């Protein structure tokens, strides 16, 4: 039966995308509630479900929905998600607030739908991790993963609509010879790249990099998998790219890897290098599937290793699509 769906944080880059994805996937929506801050409340927005009026967030109002998609900060989610879930709604939280809680499933439906159980609060993974695991999961199933090294090229959308706006405005300033300033990012992003996403941890890795380690282990259910990541912000809009090296437990060839990935849901193999066919952020933008290509035998790990390149839409598989897919598991 159709569900009453609320989106909290509906004006953000992820929240807006959630509305579109519900429509693109023909999710059975009985009623759509769009919740935002006091500042946006009362404003009307055009959606594929018709014109909607933004409502100021109110925990009691939100409790009345069947499914609540949270596209809000971790602190906000921490403060309100448990109460909403206790009220009976299925809460899918896009923040990192509950991802490392043993009692909260962290779900990428193609990989670990079984882990959802009958939980009422589900965590949606970090975007970089979600995109990586749709490729890593099938490789793990076929060949077993022993070690993983990830280097990321992350779009400005990871910092929300403001991140994309800063890229656009500051690129224009740069080209017009005007001063280039930065507020969302720590340094100017046009014609640059920034090897810092989120705060540095004691071990010298950033929080974003550690999220890739922690969340990949939890989703793939390999608690001690060595995963090392270098996360870099680049001046693109909304698809994250990742160079991934895997060492496998059993021998692997690029052809066998392509076959395993071609059969896997959520992945499209784009791997005809001679024709210039490989994953790229511009191609992955707006697509549900994660592109995988440049699959080759690792010069380091030989027949027990691969290098590959992956691109996925950060706002879709990295956020809104994955959240809606989790909601679909409850239908
Ligand atoms: C970025 N991956 O690209 C981050 C954004 O853990 O949900 C998402 C942070 C998260 O900046």
């Amino acid at each position: 039966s159709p569900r009453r769906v609320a989106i909290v944080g509906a004006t953000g880059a992820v929240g807006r995308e959630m509305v579109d994805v519900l429509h693109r996937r023909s999710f059975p929506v009985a009623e759509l509630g769009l919740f935002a801050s006091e500042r946006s409340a009362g404003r009307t927005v055009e959606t594929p479900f018709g014109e909607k009026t933004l409502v100021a967030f109110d925990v009691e109002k939100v409790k009345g929905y069947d499914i609540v998609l949270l596209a809000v900060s971790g602190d906000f989610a921490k403060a309100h998600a448990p109460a909403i879930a206790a009220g009976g709604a299925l809460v899918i939280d896009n923040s990192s607030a509950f991802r490392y809680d043993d009692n909260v499933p962290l779900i990428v439906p193609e990989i670990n739908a079984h882990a959802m159980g009958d939980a009422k609060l589900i965590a949606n993974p970090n975007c970089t991790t979600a995109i990586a695991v749709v490729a890593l999961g099938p490789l793990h199933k076929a060949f077993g993963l022993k070690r993983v090294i990830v280097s990321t090229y992350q779009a400005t959308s990871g910092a929300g609509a403001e991140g994309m706006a800063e890229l656009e405005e500051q690129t224009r300033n740069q080209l017009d010879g005007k001063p280039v300033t930065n507020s969302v990012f720590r340094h100017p992003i046009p014609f640059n790249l920034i090897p810092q996403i989120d705060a540095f941890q004691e071990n010298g890795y950033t929080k974003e990099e550690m999220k890739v380690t922690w969340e990949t282990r939890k989703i793939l259910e390999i608690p001690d998998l060595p995963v090392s990541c270098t996360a870099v912000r680049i001046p693109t809009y909304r698809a994250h790219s990742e160079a991934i090296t895997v060492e496998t437990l059993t021998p692997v060839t690029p052809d066998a890897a392509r076959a395993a990935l071609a059969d896997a849901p959520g992945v499209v193999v784009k791997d005809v290098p001679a024709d210039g066919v490989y994953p790229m952020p511009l191609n992955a933008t707006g697509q549900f599937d994660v592109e995988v290509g440049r699959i080759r035998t690792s010069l380091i790990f030989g027949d027990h290793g691969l290098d590959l390149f992956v691109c996925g839409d950060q706002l879709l598989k990295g956020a809104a699509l994955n959240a809606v897919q989790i909601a679909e598991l409850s239908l």
Side-chain angles (χ1 to χ4, degrees):
S1 60
R3 306 299 157 96
R4 303 179 71 229
V5 181
I7 297 175
V8 182
T11 57
V14 173
R16 289 197 302 242
E17 217 59 51
M18 284 168 165
V19 179
D20 274 354
V21 173
L22 286 169
H23 184 258
R24 278 175 73 182
R25 293 186 68 92
S26 304
F27 192 91
V29 177
E31 184 190 326
L32 181 65
L34 299 184
F35 291 86
S37 63
E38 292 280 354
R39 198 162 32 94
S40 303
R43 221 175 72 207
T44 57
V45 287
E46 285 301 330
T47 79
F49 298 93
E51 193 178 87
K52 298 273 166 198
T53 302
L54 297 168
V55 181
F57 175 78
D58 173 327
V59 83
E60 292 307 318
K61 274 189 197 156
V62 170
K63 267 186 189 169
Y65 286 80
D66 301 314
I67 295 174
V68 178
L69 305 178
L70 295 182
V72 294
S73 71
D75 287 343
F76 191 99
K78 247 197 188 104
H80 300 295
I84 301 169
L90 174 67
V91 179
I92 301 164
D93 174 33
N94 192 50
S95 84
S96 60
F98 300 99
R99 289 178 191 155
Y100 316 114
D101 185 329
D102 286 341
N103 299 315
V104 178
L106 177 66
I107 301 293
V108 173
E110 292 90 340
I111 306 299
N112 67 337
H114 62 269
M116 186 150 140
D118 55 7
K120 281 300 203 182
L121 172 58
I122 312 288
N124 203 35
N126 167 274
C127 40
T128 310
T129 314
I131 290 163
V133 297
V134 289
L136 289 173
L139 295 177
H140 178 55
K141 212 165 160 187
F143 314 105
L145 292 180
K146 189 170 175 194
R147 286 189 281 201
V148 179
I149 301 167
V150 182
S151 303
T152 76
Y153 308 78
Q154 295 183 220
T156 52
S157 59
E162 298 80 9
M164 291 186 279
E166 184 159 303
L167 170 65
E168 187 168 325
E169 281 167 34
Q170 300 308 319
T171 301
R172 203 166 275 134
N173 283 354
Q174 170 93 29
L175 293 172
D176 289 347
K178 293 184 186 150
V180 176
T181 59
N182 52 285
S183 57
V184 177
F185 301 112
R186 190 165 183 178
H187 301 278
I189 189 70
F191 306 100
N192 195 14
L193 53 81
I194 304 170
Q196 177 185 0
I197 299 177
D198 211 332
F200 284 103
Q201 311 292 291
E202 264 177 22
N203 65 1
Y205 286 78
T206 60
K207 182 90 180 283
E208 177 78 4
E209 291 162 350
M210 291 315 300
K211 285 175 177 177
V212 173
T213 299
W214 298 327
E215 297 178 25
T216 300
R217 289 173 172 170
K218 182 166 174 178
I219 296 162
L220 296 182
E221 298 172 348
I222 324 174
D224 53 358
L225 181 70
V227 179
S228 183
C229 178
T230 302
V232 179
R233 183 77 67 202
I234 65 162
T236 54
Y237 276 123
R238 54 175 281 168
H240 282 359
S241 306
E242 308 179 33
I244 302 179
T245 302
V246 296
E247 185 183 9
T248 55
L249 293 171
T250 62
V252 60
T253 63
D255 278 343
R258 276 183 215 106
L261 290 163
D263 281 347
V267 173
V268 56
V269 176
K270 285 268 193 98
D271 201 14
V272 192
D275 294 342
V277 175
Y278 28 66
M280 285 194 293
L282 279 184
N283 295 346
T285 293
Q287 305 296 326
F288 285 163
D289 285 340
V290 168
E291 299 187 335
V292 186
R294 298 292 325 278
I295 301 169
R296 58 212 191 271
T297 296
S298 162
L299 291 180
I300 296 175
F301 299 119
D303 67 359
H304 281 67
L306 297 169
D307 281 307
L308 44 134
F309 196 70
V310 172
C311 285
D313 190 307
Q314 186 267 333
L315 294 174
L316 293 175
K317 189 59 197 172
L321 170 63
N322 200 70
V324 171
Q325 287 177 294
I326 293 171
E328 288 170 356
L329 293 177
S330 75
L331 292 175

Short mmCIF file of all heavy atoms in Angstrom, two decimals, residues 147-198:
data_model
loop_
_atom_site.label_atom_id
_atom_site.label_comp_id
_atom_site.label_asym_id
_atom_site.label_seq_id
_atom_site.Cartn_x
_atom_site.Cartn_y
_atom_site.Cartn_z
N ARG A 147 42.79 -6.87 1.05
CA ARG A 147 43.15 -5.48 1.39
C ARG A 147 42.61 -4.54 0.32
O ARG A 147 42.51 -4.93 -0.85
CB ARG A 147 44.67 -5.32 1.47
CG ARG A 147 45.26 -5.95 2.71
CD ARG A 147 46.71 -5.60 2.87
NE ARG A 147 47.54 -6.43 2.00
CZ ARG A 147 48.84 -6.64 2.20
NH1 ARG A 147 49.45 -6.06 3.22
NH2 ARG A 147 49.54 -7.39 1.39
N VAL A 148 42.31 -3.32 0.71
CA VAL A 148 41.73 -2.34 -0.22
C VAL A 148 42.41 -0.98 -0.02
O VAL A 148 42.57 -0.53 1.11
CB VAL A 148 40.20 -2.19 0.02
CG1 VAL A 148 39.61 -1.15 -0.92
CG2 VAL A 148 39.48 -3.52 -0.14
N ILE A 149 42.80 -0.37 -1.14
CA ILE A 149 43.35 0.99 -1.09
C ILE A 149 42.48 1.86 -2.00
O ILE A 149 42.22 1.49 -3.16
CB ILE A 149 44.81 1.03 -1.58
CG1 ILE A 149 45.67 0.11 -0.72
CG2 ILE A 149 45.34 2.46 -1.55
CD1 ILE A 149 47.05 -0.16 -1.30
N VAL A 150 42.02 2.99 -1.46
CA VAL A 150 41.11 3.86 -2.21
C VAL A 150 41.72 5.26 -2.28
O VAL A 150 42.19 5.78 -1.26
CB VAL A 150 39.73 3.95 -1.51
CG1 VAL A 150 38.77 4.82 -2.30
CG2 VAL A 150 39.14 2.57 -1.27
N SER A 151 41.72 5.85 -3.46
CA SER A 151 42.08 7.28 -3.61
C SER A 151 40.89 7.95 -4.26
O SER A 151 40.44 7.50 -5.31
CB SER A 151 43.31 7.45 -4.49
OG SER A 151 44.38 6.71 -3.96
N THR A 152 40.38 9.02 -3.64
CA THR A 152 39.13 9.58 -4.14
C THR A 152 39.33 10.94 -4.83
O THR A 152 40.28 11.67 -4.54
CB THR A 152 38.09 9.77 -3.02
OG1 THR A 152 38.46 10.91 -2.23
CG2 THR A 152 37.98 8.53 -2.16
N TYR A 153 38.39 11.23 -5.70
CA TYR A 153 38.32 12.51 -6.42
C TYR A 153 36.88 12.96 -6.22
O TYR A 153 35.99 12.58 -6.97
CB TYR A 153 38.60 12.28 -7.90
CG TYR A 153 39.88 11.51 -8.18
CD1 TYR A 153 39.92 10.13 -8.02
CD2 TYR A 153 41.03 12.17 -8.61
CE1 TYR A 153 41.09 9.42 -8.27
CE2 TYR A 153 42.20 11.46 -8.86
CZ TYR A 153 42.21 10.09 -8.69
OH TYR A 153 43.35 9.37 -8.94
N GLN A 154 36.62 13.74 -5.16
CA GLN A 154 35.25 13.98 -4.71
C GLN A 154 34.70 15.32 -5.15
O GLN A 154 35.34 16.37 -5.00
CB GLN A 154 35.18 13.84 -3.18
CG GLN A 154 35.47 12.42 -2.74
CD GLN A 154 35.35 12.18 -1.25
OE1 GLN A 154 36.16 11.46 -0.70
NE2 GLN A 154 34.36 12.75 -0.60
N ALA A 155 33.48 15.26 -5.66
CA ALA A 155 32.81 16.43 -6.20
C ALA A 155 32.40 17.41 -5.10
O ALA A 155 32.24 17.04 -3.93
CB ALA A 155 31.57 15.98 -6.98
N THR A 156 32.16 18.64 -5.50
CA THR A 156 31.78 19.69 -4.55
C THR A 156 30.40 19.45 -3.94
O THR A 156 30.08 19.98 -2.87
CB THR A 156 31.81 21.06 -5.22
OG1 THR A 156 31.02 21.00 -6.42
CG2 THR A 156 33.23 21.48 -5.56
N SER A 157 29.55 18.64 -4.59
CA SER A 157 28.22 18.36 -4.05
C SER A 157 28.30 17.67 -2.69
O SER A 157 27.34 17.71 -1.93
CB SER A 157 27.43 17.47 -5.01
OG SER A 157 28.12 16.25 -5.21
N GLY A 158 29.44 17.05 -2.39
CA GLY A 158 29.62 16.42 -1.08
C GLY A 158 29.49 17.44 0.04
O GLY A 158 29.19 17.09 1.18
N ALA A 159 29.71 18.70 -0.28
CA ALA A 159 29.54 19.77 0.71
C ALA A 159 28.19 20.46 0.52
O ALA A 159 27.98 21.59 0.98
CB ALA A 159 30.68 20.77 0.60
N GLY A 160 27.28 19.80 -0.19
CA GLY A 160 25.92 20.34 -0.34
C GLY A 160 25.80 21.36 -1.46
O GLY A 160 26.75 21.61 -2.21
N ALA A 161 24.61 21.93 -1.54
CA ALA A 161 24.34 22.91 -2.60
C ALA A 161 25.32 24.08 -2.52
O ALA A 161 25.73 24.63 -3.55
CB ALA A 161 22.90 23.42 -2.46
N GLU A 162 25.74 24.44 -1.29
CA GLU A 162 26.67 25.56 -1.12
C GLU A 162 28.02 25.24 -1.74
O GLU A 162 28.71 26.12 -2.25
CB GLU A 162 26.87 25.89 0.36
CG GLU A 162 25.64 26.34 1.11
CD GLU A 162 24.74 25.17 1.53
OE1 GLU A 162 25.17 24.01 1.39
OE2 GLU A 162 23.61 25.43 1.97
N GLY A 163 28.40 23.98 -1.68
CA GLY A 163 29.68 23.57 -2.26
C GLY A 163 29.67 23.74 -3.77
O GLY A 163 30.62 24.26 -4.37
N MET A 164 28.58 23.30 -4.39
CA MET A 164 28.47 23.45 -5.85
C MET A 164 28.42 24.93 -6.24
O MET A 164 29.02 25.35 -7.23
CB MET A 164 27.23 22.71 -6.35
CG MET A 164 27.36 21.20 -6.22
SD MET A 164 25.96 20.31 -6.96
CE MET A 164 24.76 20.44 -5.66
N ALA A 165 27.70 25.73 -5.43
CA ALA A 165 27.59 27.16 -5.73
C ALA A 165 28.96 27.83 -5.61
O ALA A 165 29.32 28.69 -6.43
CB ALA A 165 26.59 27.82 -4.77
N GLU A 166 29.75 27.40 -4.62
CA GLU A 166 31.09 28.01 -4.47
C GLU A 166 31.97 27.66 -5.67
O GLU A 166 32.71 28.51 -6.17
CB GLU A 166 31.75 27.56 -3.16
CG GLU A 166 33.09 28.24 -2.92
CD GLU A 166 33.51 28.23 -1.45
OE1 GLU A 166 32.74 28.72 -0.61
OE2 GLU A 166 34.61 27.73 -1.15
N LEU A 167 31.88 26.44 -6.15
CA LEU A 167 32.66 26.07 -7.35
C LEU A 167 32.28 26.97 -8.52
O LEU A 167 33.15 27.52 -9.20
CB LEU A 167 32.40 24.60 -7.71
CG LEU A 167 32.96 24.17 -9.07
CD1 LEU A 167 34.48 24.22 -9.09
CD2 LEU A 167 32.47 22.76 -9.44
N GLU A 168 30.98 27.16 -8.72
CA GLU A 168 30.53 27.92 -9.88
C GLU A 168 30.93 29.39 -9.76
O GLU A 168 31.55 29.96 -10.67
CB GLU A 168 29.02 27.77 -10.00
CG GLU A 168 28.48 28.39 -11.26
CD GLU A 168 27.03 27.96 -11.51
OE1 GLU A 168 26.68 26.81 -11.19
OE2 GLU A 168 26.28 28.80 -12.01
N GLU A 169 30.61 29.98 -8.62
CA GLU A 169 30.87 31.42 -8.45
C GLU A 169 32.37 31.72 -8.50
O GLU A 169 32.81 32.69 -9.13
CB GLU A 169 30.36 31.89 -7.09
CG GLU A 169 28.88 32.12 -7.05
CD GLU A 169 28.39 32.26 -5.60
OE1 GLU A 169 29.16 32.80 -4.76
OE2 GLU A 169 27.28 31.80 -5.33
N GLN A 170 33.13 30.89 -7.81
CA GLN A 170 34.56 31.20 -7.72
C GLN A 170 35.29 30.89 -9.02
O GLN A 170 36.29 31.54 -9.34
CB GLN A 170 35.19 30.46 -6.53
CG GLN A 170 34.57 30.83 -5.18
CD GLN A 170 34.53 32.34 -4.95
OE1 GLN A 170 35.47 33.06 -5.27
NE2 GLN A 170 33.41 32.83 -4.43
N THR A 171 34.78 29.93 -9.80
CA THR A 171 35.37 29.69 -11.12
C THR A 171 35.12 30.91 -12.01
O THR A 171 36.01 31.39 -12.72
CB THR A 171 34.77 28.43 -11.77
OG1 THR A 171 35.02 27.33 -10.91
CG2 THR A 171 35.40 28.16 -13.13
N ARG A 172 33.90 31.44 -11.92
CA ARG A 172 33.57 32.64 -12.69
C ARG A 172 34.47 33.80 -12.25
O ARG A 172 35.04 34.51 -13.09
CB ARG A 172 32.09 32.98 -12.46
CG ARG A 172 31.51 33.81 -13.55
CD ARG A 172 29.99 33.84 -13.49
NE ARG A 172 29.38 32.73 -14.16
CZ ARG A 172 28.38 32.00 -13.65
NH1 ARG A 172 27.89 32.27 -12.47
NH2 ARG A 172 27.87 31.02 -14.35
N ASN A 173 34.63 33.98 -10.95
CA ASN A 173 35.51 35.05 -10.46
C ASN A 173 36.92 34.88 -11.00
O ASN A 173 37.55 35.84 -11.44
CB ASN A 173 35.56 35.04 -8.92
CG ASN A 173 34.30 35.65 -8.32
OD1 ASN A 173 33.45 36.18 -9.04
ND2 ASN A 173 34.17 35.55 -7.01
N GLN A 174 37.40 33.66 -10.92
CA GLN A 174 38.77 33.39 -11.37
C GLN A 174 38.92 33.78 -12.85
O GLN A 174 39.88 34.46 -13.23
CB GLN A 174 39.05 31.89 -11.20
CG GLN A 174 40.33 31.39 -11.83
CD GLN A 174 41.50 31.39 -10.85
OE1 GLN A 174 41.30 31.26 -9.64
NE2 GLN A 174 42.68 31.56 -11.37
N LEU A 175 37.96 33.38 -13.68
CA LEU A 175 38.06 33.65 -15.12
C LEU A 175 37.87 35.14 -15.43
O LEU A 175 38.41 35.64 -16.40
CB LEU A 175 37.03 32.80 -15.88
CG LEU A 175 37.31 31.30 -15.85
CD1 LEU A 175 36.15 30.52 -16.46
CD2 LEU A 175 38.61 30.95 -16.56
N ASP A 176 37.11 35.81 -14.56
CA ASP A 176 36.89 37.25 -14.76
C ASP A 176 37.99 38.09 -14.13
O ASP A 176 37.90 39.32 -14.11
CB ASP A 176 35.53 37.67 -14.16
CG ASP A 176 34.36 37.14 -14.97
OD1 ASP A 176 34.60 36.67 -16.11
OD2 ASP A 176 33.23 37.17 -14.47
N GLY A 177 38.98 37.45 -13.54
CA GLY A 177 40.08 38.19 -12.92
C GLY A 177 39.69 38.84 -11.61
O GLY A 177 40.37 39.75 -11.13
N LYS A 178 38.58 38.39 -11.02
CA LYS A 178 38.15 38.95 -9.73
C LYS A 178 38.78 38.14 -8.60
O LYS A 178 39.21 37.01 -8.82
CB LYS A 178 36.62 38.88 -9.61
CG LYS A 178 35.89 39.77 -10.58
CD LYS A 178 34.40 39.69 -10.31
CE LYS A 178 33.61 40.46 -11.34
NZ LYS A 178 32.27 39.88 -11.56
N PRO A 179 38.78 38.70 -7.38
CA PRO A 179 39.34 37.94 -6.27
C PRO A 179 38.57 36.63 -6.04
O PRO A 179 37.35 36.61 -6.15
CB PRO A 179 39.17 38.86 -5.06
CG PRO A 179 38.89 40.21 -5.63
CD PRO A 179 38.30 40.02 -6.99
N VAL A 180 39.31 35.57 -5.77
CA VAL A 180 38.69 34.28 -5.51
C VAL A 180 38.73 34.03 -4.01
O VAL A 180 39.80 34.04 -3.40
CB VAL A 180 39.44 33.16 -6.27
CG1 VAL A 180 38.86 31.79 -5.92
CG2 VAL A 180 39.35 33.41 -7.78
N THR A 181 37.56 33.87 -3.43
CA THR A 181 37.48 33.64 -1.98
C THR A 181 36.90 32.24 -1.74
O THR A 181 36.45 31.60 -2.67
CB THR A 181 36.59 34.68 -1.30
OG1 THR A 181 35.30 34.59 -1.89
CG2 THR A 181 37.13 36.09 -1.46
N ASN A 182 36.94 31.80 -0.52
CA ASN A 182 36.36 30.50 -0.20
C ASN A 182 35.76 30.55 1.19
O ASN A 182 36.31 31.18 2.09
CB ASN A 182 37.41 29.39 -0.27
CG ASN A 182 38.64 29.71 0.55
OD1 ASN A 182 39.47 30.54 0.16
ND2 ASN A 182 38.74 29.06 1.70
N SER A 183 34.57 29.94 1.34
CA SER A 183 33.98 29.82 2.67
C SER A 183 33.56 28.39 2.96
O SER A 183 33.72 27.91 4.07
CB SER A 183 32.81 30.79 2.84
OG SER A 183 31.84 30.56 1.85
N VAL A 184 33.03 27.70 1.95
CA VAL A 184 32.63 26.30 2.18
C VAL A 184 33.89 25.43 2.30
O VAL A 184 34.01 24.61 3.20
CB VAL A 184 31.75 25.80 1.01
CG1 VAL A 184 31.41 24.32 1.21
CG2 VAL A 184 30.48 26.64 0.90
N PHE A 185 34.81 25.63 1.37
CA PHE A 185 36.04 24.84 1.37
C PHE A 185 37.16 25.62 2.04
O PHE A 185 37.13 26.84 2.10
CB PHE A 185 36.41 24.45 -0.08
CG PHE A 185 35.31 23.66 -0.74
CD1 PHE A 185 34.57 24.19 -1.79
CD2 PHE A 185 34.98 22.39 -0.26
CE1 PHE A 185 33.52 23.47 -2.36
CE2 PHE A 185 33.93 21.67 -0.82
CZ PHE A 185 33.21 22.21 -1.87
N ARG A 186 38.15 24.90 2.52
CA ARG A 186 39.21 25.54 3.29
C ARG A 186 40.14 26.36 2.40
O ARG A 186 40.84 27.26 2.86
CB ARG A 186 40.00 24.46 4.03
CG ARG A 186 40.96 25.00 5.03
CD ARG A 186 41.43 23.92 5.97
NE ARG A 186 42.30 24.47 6.98
CZ ARG A 186 42.83 23.77 7.98
NH1 ARG A 186 42.57 22.48 8.09
NH2 ARG A 186 43.61 24.35 8.85
N HIS A 187 40.16 26.00 1.11
CA HIS A 187 41.00 26.69 0.13
C HIS A 187 40.16 26.92 -1.13
O HIS A 187 39.13 26.27 -1.30
CB HIS A 187 42.22 25.82 -0.22
CG HIS A 187 43.06 25.48 0.98
ND1 HIS A 187 44.01 26.33 1.49
CD2 HIS A 187 43.05 24.38 1.78
CE1 HIS A 187 44.58 25.77 2.55
NE2 HIS A 187 44.01 24.59 2.76
N PRO A 188 40.64 27.80 -2.02
CA PRO A 188 39.90 27.99 -3.28
C PRO A 188 39.82 26.65 -4.03
O PRO A 188 40.80 25.94 -4.13
CB PRO A 188 40.75 29.00 -4.05
CG PRO A 188 41.52 29.73 -2.99
CD PRO A 188 41.79 28.72 -1.91
N ILE A 189 38.64 26.36 -4.58
CA ILE A 189 38.45 25.09 -5.27
C ILE A 189 38.65 25.18 -6.79
O ILE A 189 39.08 24.19 -7.40
CB ILE A 189 37.08 24.44 -4.87
CG1 ILE A 189 36.95 23.01 -5.41
CG2 ILE A 189 35.89 25.26 -5.31
CD1 ILE A 189 37.84 22.00 -4.77
N PRO A 190 38.42 26.34 -7.44
CA PRO A 190 38.60 26.34 -8.90
C PRO A 190 40.05 26.05 -9.28
O PRO A 190 40.97 26.61 -8.67
CB PRO A 190 38.22 27.76 -9.33
CG PRO A 190 37.58 28.38 -8.18
CD PRO A 190 38.02 27.67 -6.95
N PHE A 191 40.24 25.22 -10.26
CA PHE A 191 41.57 24.92 -10.80
C PHE A 191 42.53 24.42 -9.70
O PHE A 191 43.73 24.66 -9.76
CB PHE A 191 42.15 26.16 -11.53
CG PHE A 191 41.21 26.68 -12.58
CD1 PHE A 191 40.41 27.78 -12.32
CD2 PHE A 191 41.10 26.04 -13.80
CE1 PHE A 191 39.50 28.24 -13.27
CE2 PHE A 191 40.19 26.49 -14.75
CZ PHE A 191 39.40 27.59 -14.48
N ASN A 192 41.95 23.78 -8.71
CA ASN A 192 42.73 23.30 -7.58
C ASN A 192 42.21 21.94 -7.18
O ASN A 192 41.21 21.46 -7.73
CB ASN A 192 42.58 24.29 -6.41
CG ASN A 192 43.61 24.12 -5.32
OD1 ASN A 192 44.63 23.43 -5.52
ND2 ASN A 192 43.37 24.71 -4.16
N LEU A 193 42.86 21.29 -6.25
CA LEU A 193 42.25 20.16 -5.55
C LEU A 193 42.74 20.22 -4.12
O LEU A 193 43.79 20.79 -3.83
CB LEU A 193 42.55 18.83 -6.24
CG LEU A 193 43.97 18.44 -6.55
CD1 LEU A 193 44.67 17.89 -5.34
CD2 LEU A 193 43.99 17.41 -7.67
N ILE A 194 41.93 19.67 -3.21
CA ILE A 194 42.20 19.87 -1.79
C ILE A 194 42.25 18.49 -1.10
O ILE A 194 41.23 17.80 -1.03
CB ILE A 194 41.09 20.75 -1.14
CG1 ILE A 194 40.97 22.08 -1.89
CG2 ILE A 194 41.39 20.97 0.35
CD1 ILE A 194 39.76 22.92 -1.49
N PRO A 195 43.44 18.11 -0.62
CA PRO A 195 43.55 16.78 -0.02
C PRO A 195 43.10 16.76 1.44
O PRO A 195 43.80 16.22 2.31
CB PRO A 195 45.04 16.46 -0.17
CG PRO A 195 45.70 17.80 -0.08
CD PRO A 195 44.74 18.80 -0.67
N GLN A 196 41.97 17.38 1.69
CA GLN A 196 41.37 17.33 3.04
C GLN A 196 39.86 17.38 2.90
O GLN A 196 39.31 18.35 2.38
CB GLN A 196 41.82 18.51 3.91
CG GLN A 196 41.12 18.47 5.27
CD GLN A 196 41.40 19.64 6.17
OE1 GLN A 196 42.16 20.55 5.83
NE2 GLN A 196 40.77 19.62 7.34
N ILE A 197 39.18 16.34 3.39
CA ILE A 197 37.72 16.37 3.48
C ILE A 197 37.37 15.98 4.91
O ILE A 197 37.72 14.90 5.36
CB ILE A 197 37.07 15.42 2.45
CG1 ILE A 197 37.46 15.86 1.02
CG2 ILE A 197 35.55 15.40 2.62
CD1 ILE A 197 36.94 14.97 -0.09
N ASP A 198 36.76 16.92 5.61
CA ASP A 198 36.42 16.76 7.04
C ASP A 198 37.70 16.90 7.88
O ASP A 198 38.79 17.21 7.38
CB ASP A 198 35.69 15.44 7.28
CG ASP A 198 34.69 15.52 8.45
OD1 ASP A 198 34.91 16.34 9.36
OD2 ASP A 198 33.71 14.76 8.46
#
